Amino acid sequence: MTIGSTDNHDNGSPLADTPLPGATPLLEVNNLRAYIGTARGTVRAVDDVSLSLQTGQALGIVGESGSGKSVMARAIMGLMPPRSARSGEVTFQGRDLLALKKKEKLEVWGKQIAMVFQDPGRSLNPVVRVERQLTEGMRKHLGIGRSEATGRALQLLQEVGVPDPQRRLRNYPHEMSGGMRQRVMIAIALACEPDLLIADEPTTALDVTIQRQILDLLRRVQKERDMGMMLISHDLAVVAGRTDRVSVMYAGRLAEVGATRTVFDSPMHRYTHALLGATPTIDHTRHAPLRVISGSLPDPTSPPQGCRFASRCEHAQSDCLTPGPVLESVGADHEVACLHPVAPHPVKTLTLSGR
Ligand SMILES: Nc1ncnc2c1ncn2[C@@H]1O[C@H](COP(=O)(O)OP(=O)(O)OP(=O)(O)O)[C@@H](O)[C@H]1O
Ligand SMILES: [Mg+2]
């Protein structure tokens, strides 16, 4: 399958995340498309997304279920499902990730870029004990011996809140709960001290208290190690307070990007605004009742030419049905792809209370 270039109403903009002067982006994604062939047609899961992430920066990716967050993360890593196609550019520390040979990929994955997958059950090898899964990468990538690797593994398990780590090292994945497996996945991802961590809903299997602990741990480690982190969640409260910048994704495209504080304090895309109003733990309008965004995502096999949120938007007008809109700058580190955005308002009521 090839991805045609007929759909040229760019939504992503290479300027979306304008780097600080002099800073080389750790990760740069330009015009990424990831299409998946299915029995019901070609799903345009990611449809022209551009973003960049600086060293030591945490970027949140938020959006409703089905908006394309996981497919985007996997496409960046070169992990595409069968019958799929990908186009665009992905550069990591200036290297073209999409052009890597298999051997080069193995060097980059795990060592320089690590990923925590949404489904920890499927990411761990069921027939290999935790110890080997944790130490193998360290021995290979960090060139350390077995006992040193085991020592580090114990420390990592402790860091991610695994009780009795000695015993856990001898476990097979099926001997642990979903939450425990998720923590092991996070420990494996951090083991080789990657430059970039892509964490896709890293705490879904955990209860709220543990979720907060793990998310705060990720943020702390990210800052301490000056690591880049892409934190993906459908829950805005997860990325609030734990990311420097955020990209709001809707139906395969970016609706709004910018400094997390700015986007959450003063959302301008109608979708971001609605999403914040539907998030119980972010007190966006404080006295307003919690609202639900009515309607559903457009059919990903035939998305509309115009704004993909238009059919659900109370403020849509006839021009919203024309091709576009594209991300446009509305202020310092703030871009919005909306023809009739929310008027910027002075910040007064927002409280970010990350879970
Ligand atoms: N392997 C696949 N085969 C076919 N379609 C897929 C596949 N994986 C994802 N999709 C489709 O791609 C679109 C984007 O899915 P994706 O999993 O990226 O959403 P998401 O934003 O990660 O959602 P969630 O918050 O539920 O994890 C959806 O329409 C989904 O049905
Ligand atoms: Mg997902």
Side-chain angles (χ1 to χ4, degrees):
M1 181 176 29
T2 54
I3 296 180
S5 55
T6 48
D7 181 17
N8 58 4
H9 42 277
D10 265 7
N11 175 263
S13 150
L15 298 175
D17 301 337
T18 310
L20 299 169
T24 310
L26 180 67
L27 178 76
E28 194 155 26
V29 174
N30 284 319
N31 309 107
L32 183 68
R33 288 184 164 94
Y35 290 4
I36 306 168
T38 70
R40 60 197 171 95
T42 301
V43 170
R44 298 183 183 196
V46 179
D47 210 3
D48 201 356
V49 164
S50 300
L51 52 84
S52 75
L53 206 170
Q54 305 297 318
T55 299
Q57 195 176 62
L59 171 71
I61 309 284
V62 295
E64 275 167 289
S65 183
S67 54
K69 306 180 297 295
S70 295
V71 174
M72 181 181 76
R74 287 172 166 272
I76 288 171
M77 294 289 280
L79 302 168
M80 294 289 292
R83 296 188 307 282
S84 61
R86 183 182 58 163
S87 71
E89 285 170 22
V90 180
T91 51
F92 173 73
Q93 294 174 335
R95 280 173 91 180
D96 181 356
L97 275 192
L98 304 192
L100 290 186
K101 298 196 171 64
K102 198 175 169 192
K103 193 166 165 253
E104 294 168 323
K105 273 187 194 166
L106 293 176
E107 279 161 23
V108 172
W109 291 351
K111 170 72 188 99
Q112 289 169 294
I113 308 180
M115 184 158 174
V116 179
F117 291 92
Q118 194 167 355
D119 178 359
R122 282 195 309 175
S123 321
L124 292 170
N125 189 333
V127 295
V128 176
R129 287 184 209 271
V130 166
E131 178 169 6
R132 205 172 115 207
Q133 301 201 45
L134 253 169
T135 56
E136 214 163 39
M138 287 194 268
R139 295 183 63 187
K140 185 172 147 214
H141 293 303
L142 305 181
I144 57 176
R146 191 174 172 177
S147 61
E148 190 180 347
T150 302
R152 277 176 177 247
L154 283 171
Q155 204 181 330
L156 276 163
L157 289 180
Q158 239 152 12
E159 254 190 281
V160 297
V162 171
D164 198 0
Q166 284 280 6
R167 181 169 68 90
R168 289 300 179 196
L169 280 183
R170 294 190 298 274
N171 277 172
Y172 289 97
H174 72 267
E175 294 173 312
M176 299 184 297
S177 67
M180 223 38 89
R181 284 199 292 262
Q182 203 150 21
R183 289 183 223 200
V184 168
M185 273 298 302
I186 292 169
I188 291 172
L190 294 174
C192 295
E193 307 200 347
D195 299 312
L196 171 64
L197 176 72
I198 301 180
D200 187 2
E201 306 273 6
T203 55
T204 40
L206 305 172
D207 70 53
V208 175
T209 315
I210 305 296
Q211 252 193 51
R212 191 188 297 129
Q213 279 171 15
I214 298 270
L215 290 165
D216 291 344
L217 166 90
L218 283 177
R219 176 61 160 166
R220 183 168 51 76
V221 170
Q222 178 260 322
K223 281 186 162 174
E224 278 170 10
R225 295 185 183 178
D226 207 23
M227 180 175 82
M229 176 164 77
M230 187 183 280
L231 180 60
I232 300 172
S233 181
H234 65 278
D235 185 348
L236 280 77
V238 162
V239 308
R242 299 191 185 92
T243 54
D244 306 294
R245 307 187 70 253
V246 68
S247 293
V248 180
M249 199 164 179
Y250 185 79
R253 298 206 154 162
L254 297 188
E256 183 159 3
V257 297
T260 307
R261 191 85 219 185
T262 309
V263 172
F264 284 7
D265 278 0
S266 190
M268 286 181 64
H269 196 288
R270 298 287 173 180
Y271 174 61
T272 317
H273 196 253
L275 206 56
L276 280 158
T279 304
T281 46
I282 295 186
D283 185 11
H284 175 233
T285 47
R286 198 168 286 211
H287 305 297
L290 194 63
R291 290 163 52 117
V292 172
I293 312 177
S294 58
S296 51
L297 287 161
D299 179 353
T301 64
S302 56
Q305 286 285 298
C307 173
R308 295 188 175 185
F309 185 58
S311 63
R312 301 170 75 185
C313 181
E314 290 169 11
H315 305 271
Q317 299 181 26
S318 54
D319 53 353
C320 300
L321 306 177
T322 57
V326 297
L327 281 171
E328 281 182 19
S329 176
V330 290
D333 195 14
H334 193 184
E335 289 187 83
V336 181
C338 181
L339 295 180
H340 304 284
V342 181
H345 61 83
V347 178
K348 40 177 199 259
T349 56
L350 177 72
T351 310
L352 291 181
S353 51
R355 275 196 185 135

